[in-house]
């Protein structure tokens, strides 16, 4: 028995497209222990969101080929049936999707969507569900939670929708929280609160968090361990300090050099064609 | 160039009233890169929607080159002010290929001749760092950042004078982000464009915007030259906001106001 909550082994994914086969993930290896806070960072289009979709069993189209293992609680879940996945989703594993508006159902009020989620956590009346949701929304600085609950998704600002989705994902205290760009629509003050809440959750219920973000400041604030993905390959893994102080892979270095500076020295410039970093060897920091 | 006078907007949800904007006044000058930052839910997107004629304000006026703008717009007015919406994932039509999404404004505004459309779509895609092969794809096969770049390409296609960008780079890694921003700045210079740039990323604002307005609860907290606002914020809210920016080095932290 291993004490790892999630263990992704040699995961591969490809799509059969009109133009040919598109290899999206090539041997992804990634581990999370209970209560651990791990960040997954990398290029746009490198395969972060599809990785979370595989963990949740959401990629089942005919043109999908997947290989490898996703071991959750000592059980390979990569090829579970949809019924088995339903039990895991919303109970053991929950997700904050990258696009909050698209993640909500446009034809139901927020309160009704909360009710669905709250039912997953056990029997509850509509009234209690409403109160529970109010309380949770207040924790992310929503001043008028009743109004937000009575709204349809299109009536919410980007950041309000994002806070609704964050709250829904945390309310049943999952074992694993997949947070895909959870704070892009939040101002920095509320962003910090959201990170604090996730942090509390890891302490209180030993929830593990896989945080996907493009914001390296957020990584520095939140994560213990970091994986860097580039074109479907994990090119570097290490503790937060190793990564920021001693990046090994050229892509990680380029990433750190490209962060816009608060001192306002202008944006970094880049040449047109990025080198094929992925073919360069992988960097794993082992307690250095 | 764009004058916003005394704009207010309320929404009603059941028994609740939301004052999204409360008597907003702003002057956006030609060739500005005008950043709008502030609290989530403070009315930034609502303001964009009013400038674009998507929402009708309750009170106040907007003028564009001294001419008053009404909710109903003619084709020329619509062409001149383009929009990159927040959440591009939910704003691209899932039933249309990327080609037909980007070629639509080319056709509506007769930007190029029919037989040049494909060439132009390819050019726009490579502008935003996407392989022209993406033309045949549907949105749900793209990553978040790829969709965001399609939305930028679509807005540029109409050859506008003003571009309203609502969180245009939130789904891009910092390398692609700086490429896209550098490109936007280059295009801006080449065609004398004006940008209204809505974002929560204050480090980006610091590097690309000449002016910034800070919003809070539907009102303007403060506005001014970007450098001035960052170095000497007048309002407590702005100061708190700048202090809360997550940074990657202690050196960066030292730049924040005390
Ligand atoms: N359903 C699909 N069919 C075909 N290709 C797909 C599909 N979904 C994603 N892809 C492709 O797989 C690659 C990885 O996509 P993914 O959404 O995981 O990227 P990401 O790392 O989350 O990027 P971003 O940071 O931009 O959101 C992209 O090149 C994308 O175009
Ligand atoms: N169509 C609508 N119907 C009802 N309420 C709305 C509508 N559009 C916006 N609102 C409300 O108006 C307020 C301002 O929303 P807006 O989208 O302008 O905020 P924002 O500053 O863009 O926030 P964010 O940074 O979170 O995107 C929010 O409380 C929002 O829920
Ligand atoms: Mg993604
Ligand atoms: Mg908004």
């Amino acid at each position: 028995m291993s004490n790892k909550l999630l263990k992704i082994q040699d995961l591969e994914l490809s799509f059969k497209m009109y133009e040919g086969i598109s290899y999206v993930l090539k041997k992804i290896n990634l581990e999370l222990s209970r209560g651990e806070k791990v960040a997954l960072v990398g290029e746009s289009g490198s395969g972060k969101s599809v990785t979370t979709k595989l963990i949740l069993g959401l990629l089942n189209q005919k043109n999908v080929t997947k290989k490898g293992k996703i071991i959750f609680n000592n059980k390979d879940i990569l090829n579970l049936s949809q019924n088995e996945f339903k039990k895991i989703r919303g109970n053991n594993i929950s997700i904050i999707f990258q696009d909050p508006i698209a993640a909500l159902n446009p034809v139901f009020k927020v309160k009704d969507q909360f009710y669905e989620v709250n039912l997953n956590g056990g029997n509850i009346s509509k009234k209690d569900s409403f109160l529970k949701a109010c309380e949770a929304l207040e924790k992310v600085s929503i001043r008028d939670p009743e109004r937000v609950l009575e709204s349809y998704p299109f009536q919410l600002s980007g950041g309000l929708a994002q806070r609704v989705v964050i709250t829904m994902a945390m309310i049943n205290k999952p074992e694993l929280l997949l947070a895909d760009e959870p704070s892009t629509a939040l101002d920095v003050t509320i962003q910090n609160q959201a990170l604090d809440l996730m942090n509390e959750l890891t302490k209180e219920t030993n929830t593990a968090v896989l945080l996907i973000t493009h914001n390296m400041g957020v990584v520095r604030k939140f994560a213990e361990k970091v994986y860097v993905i580039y074109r479907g390959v994990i090119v570097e893994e290490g503790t937060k300090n190793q990564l920021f102080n001693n990046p090994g892979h050229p892509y990680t270095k380029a990433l750190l050099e490209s962060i816009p500076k608060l001192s306002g020295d202008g944006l970094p410039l880049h040449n047109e064609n990025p080198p094929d970093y992925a073919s360069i060897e992988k960097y794993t920091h082992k307690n250095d | 160039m764009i004058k916003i006078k005394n704009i207010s907007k309320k929404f009603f949800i059941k028994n609740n009233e939301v004052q999204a904007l409360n008597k907003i006044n702003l002057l956006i000058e030609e060739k500005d890169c005008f950043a709008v930052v502030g609290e989530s839910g403070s009315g930034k997107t609502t303001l964009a929607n009013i400038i674009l004629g998507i929402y009708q304000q309750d009170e106040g006026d907007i003028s564009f080159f001294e001419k008053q703008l009404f909710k109903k717009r003619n084709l020329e007015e619509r062409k001149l002010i383009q929009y990159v919406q927040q959440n591009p994932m939910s704003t691209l039509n899932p039933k249309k290929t990327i080609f037909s999404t980007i070629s639509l404004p080319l056709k509506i505004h007769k930007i190029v001749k029919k037989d040049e459309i494909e060439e132009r779509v390819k050019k726009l895609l490579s502008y935003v760092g996407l392989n022209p092969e993406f033309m045949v794809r549907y949105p749900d096969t793209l990553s978040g950042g790829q969709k965001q770049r399609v939305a930028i390409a679509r807005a540029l296609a109409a050859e506008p004078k003003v571009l309203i960008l609502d969180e245009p780079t939130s789904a891009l890694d910092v390398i692609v982000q700086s490429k896209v921003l550098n490109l936007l700045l280059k295009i801006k210079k080449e065609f004398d464009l004006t940008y209204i740039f809505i974002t929560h990323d204050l480090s980006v604002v610091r590097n690309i915007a000449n002016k910034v307005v800070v919003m809070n609860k539907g009102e303007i907290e403060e506005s001014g030259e970007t450098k001035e606002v960052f170095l000497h914020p007048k309002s407590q809210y702005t100061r708190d906001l700048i202090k809360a920016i997550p940074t990657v080095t202690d050196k960066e932290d030292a730049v924040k106001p005390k």
Side-chain angles (χ1 to χ4, degrees):
Chain A
M1 291 276 277
S2 113
N3 61 347
K4 295 285 173 201
L5 177 66
L6 179 76
K7 216 167 166 175
I8 297 182
Q9 283 175 344
D10 297 334
L11 186 63
E12 292 176 35
L13 169 72
S14 63
F15 294 97
K16 205 166 174 184
M17 306 293 285
Y18 170 78
E19 325 88 82
I21 294 179
S22 162
Y23 295 92
V24 168
L25 297 179
K26 306 155 199 161
K27 282 205 188 243
I28 296 291
N29 286 285
L30 188 152
E31 291 181 356
L32 265 99
S33 306
R34 289 184 186 279
E36 199 176 22
K37 293 174 283 184
V38 174
L40 176 60
V41 303
E43 219 200 3
S44 164
S46 59
K48 302 178 296 293
S49 297
V50 290
T51 301
T52 64
K53 285 180 189 161
L54 285 174
I55 298 173
L56 285 166
L58 295 175
L59 285 178
N60 303 297
Q61 303 96 301
K62 279 211 186 70
N63 68 338
V64 171
T65 309
K66 41 196 172 181
K67 282 188 204 142
K69 285 183 179 153
I70 296 181
I71 298 168
F72 179 70
N73 272 333
N74 299 310
K75 188 174 163 196
D76 187 1
I77 59 171
L78 184 62
N79 293 306
L80 283 190
S81 71
Q82 277 311 298
N83 269 338
E84 288 171 295
F85 259 121
K86 260 193 200 138
K87 279 181 230 151
I88 292 181
R89 280 199 291 262
N91 271 328
N92 309 78
I93 307 180
S94 66
I95 182 163
I96 302 168
F97 281 109
Q98 195 171 1
D99 183 351
I101 300 276
L104 292 167
N105 190 329
V107 299
F108 290 107
K109 285 189 175 180
V110 173
K111 64 172 178 188
D112 297 325
Q113 305 192 43
F114 254 110
Y115 182 56
E116 285 293 308
V117 173
N118 278 335
L119 278 181
N120 272 334
N123 224 344
I124 188 168
S125 72
K126 282 203 169 172
K127 197 170 150 227
D128 286 343
S129 160
F130 193 93
L131 291 175
K132 192 174 169 192
C134 266
E135 203 178 307
L137 290 174
E138 270 168 5
K139 284 196 189 152
V140 277
S141 285
I142 292 185
R143 283 185 294 267
D144 48 356
E146 296 88 2
R147 185 264 300 192
V148 169
L149 288 169
E150 294 291 349
S151 297
Y152 290 96
F154 79 91
Q155 296 171 315
L156 301 178
S157 79
L160 284 172
Q162 199 156 46
R163 281 178 274 175
V164 165
V165 176
I166 291 175
T167 308
M168 280 180 179
M170 301 205 329
I171 207 157
N172 289 331
K173 308 197 188 302
E175 288 175 273
L176 174 62
L177 175 63
L178 306 170
D180 194 353
E181 298 283 357
S183 63
T184 50
L186 303 180
D187 66 68
V188 285
T189 323
I190 298 173
Q191 170 171 285
N192 285 341
Q193 274 170 10
L195 294 177
D196 288 346
L197 280 178
M198 284 197 243
N199 200 12
E200 264 174 43
L201 196 65
T202 62
K203 296 229 168 70
E204 258 174 43
T205 46
N206 227 4
T207 298
V209 180
L210 182 65
L211 174 75
I212 296 172
T213 179
H214 288 304
N215 188 326
M216 299 304 278
V218 167
V219 172
R220 181 174 181 239
K221 200 174 152 54
F222 182 78
E224 296 157 336
K225 192 166 88 186
V226 187
Y227 287 90
V228 182
I229 178 171
Y230 181 76
R231 303 200 171 172
V233 178
I234 300 279
V235 293
E236 178 158 8
E237 64 178 275
T239 65
K240 170 172 66 185
N241 288 336
Q242 286 164 344
L243 217 94
F244 278 102
N245 302 333
N246 191 15
H249 196 276
Y251 177 71
T252 316
K253 286 181 188 159
L255 206 58
L256 292 172
E257 281 160 13
S258 302
I259 300 165
K261 301 278 184 303
L262 201 50
S263 41
D265 307 331
L267 296 166
L269 289 164
H270 296 279
N271 31 359
E272 278 316 300
N273 296 312
D276 188 10
Y277 299 123
S279 63
I280 308 170
E281 79 183 278
K282 186 187 147 191
Y283 289 76
T284 310
H285 300 264
K286 286 268 184 310
N287 316 314
D288 61 346
Chain B
M1 169 187 220
I2 297 183
K3 225 187 235 156
I4 293 166
K5 254 174 63 190
N6 231 10
I7 293 277
S8 297
K9 176 80 186 168
K10 261 186 206 158
F11 294 105
F12 296 92
I13 309 271
K14 228 178 165 186
N15 307 317
N16 304 277
E17 176 186 301
V18 184
Q19 182 88 46
L21 293 170
N22 190 12
K23 299 205 189 322
I24 298 290
N25 289 289
L26 281 178
L27 177 66
I28 295 153
E29 283 168 308
E30 222 175 331
K31 298 187 220 172
D32 266 347
C33 182
F34 197 101
V36 183
V37 306
E39 209 199 10
S40 163
S42 61
K44 303 180 296 295
T45 301
T46 305
L47 182 65
N49 280 319
I50 291 173
I51 297 175
L52 285 154
I54 296 170
Y55 290 166
Q56 171 76 53
Q57 64 270 31
D58 301 337
E59 59 169 331
D61 294 314
I62 302 178
S63 63
F64 184 51
F65 285 117
E66 308 291 323
K67 210 174 126 250
Q68 195 169 344
L69 280 180
F70 298 97
K71 183 164 185 292
K72 202 163 157 33
R73 307 276 164 97
N74 61 36
L75 194 62
E76 177 71 3
E77 286 167 337
R78 274 192 279 148
K79 170 184 182 305
L80 290 179
I81 310 181
Q82 289 289 321
Y83 190 23
V84 178
Q85 284 188 43
Q86 201 172 5
N87 304 310
M89 296 89 167
S90 36
T91 56
L92 295 178
N93 186 333
K95 297 208 175 70
K96 278 189 173 175
T97 62
I98 303 309
F99 175 79
S100 71
T101 293
I102 299 179
S103 59
L104 191 66
L106 294 174
K107 287 179 196 153
I108 292 179
H109 301 295
K110 303 196 175 58
I111 304 289
V112 290
K113 291 200 215 80
K114 237 191 177 144
D115 58 344
E116 291 166 8
I117 287 181
E118 185 173 329
E119 208 43 48
R120 180 56 69 92
V121 171
K122 282 185 181 162
K123 191 172 159 199
L124 285 160
L125 282 174
S126 50
Y127 254 1
V128 291
L130 288 177
N131 191 326
E133 278 177 14
F134 276 117
M135 275 196 328
V136 297
R137 295 245 206 134
Y138 289 89
D140 67 351
T141 70
L142 300 191
S143 80
Q146 289 163 345
K147 284 181 215 168
Q148 204 157 38
R149 284 177 274 169
V150 170
I152 295 174
R154 171 176 62 180
L156 289 173
E159 301 189 340
K161 266 284 161 205
V162 179
L163 198 54
I164 304 182
L165 300 143
D166 198 349
E167 296 286 357
T169 61
S170 60
L172 303 180
D173 64 86
V174 284
I175 297 177
V176 177
Q177 167 175 278
S178 76
K179 277 187 197 162
V180 169
L181 291 176
N182 276 318
L183 171 90
L184 283 171
L185 292 178
K186 193 174 127 212
I187 297 172
K188 179 175 179 302
K189 217 162 155 188
E190 223 170 289
F191 301 101
D192 288 334
L193 304 187
T194 303
Y195 290 164
I196 301 175
F197 200 103
I198 303 173
T199 182
H200 289 299
D201 195 330
L202 298 166
S203 307
V204 166
V205 170
R206 180 69 179 90
N207 285 288
I208 66 157
N210 60 321
K211 285 183 206 147
V212 60
V213 56
V214 184
M215 313 235 334
N216 186 16
K217 302 190 177 73
E219 298 187 1
I220 293 181
E221 271 292 322
E222 74 177 283
S223 67
E225 303 279 326
T226 306
K227 196 172 165 198
E228 200 44 38
V229 171
F230 273 71
L231 291 179
H232 310 288
K234 286 197 208 82
S235 91
Q236 187 58 43
Y237 178 75
T238 311
R239 217 169 296 142
D240 291 344
L241 208 59
I242 296 175
K243 273 197 212 147
I245 301 173
T247 57
V248 287
T249 58
D250 296 338
K251 209 173 117 205
E252 284 286 284
D253 277 326
V255 185
K256 294 177 180 177
K258 296 278 137 26

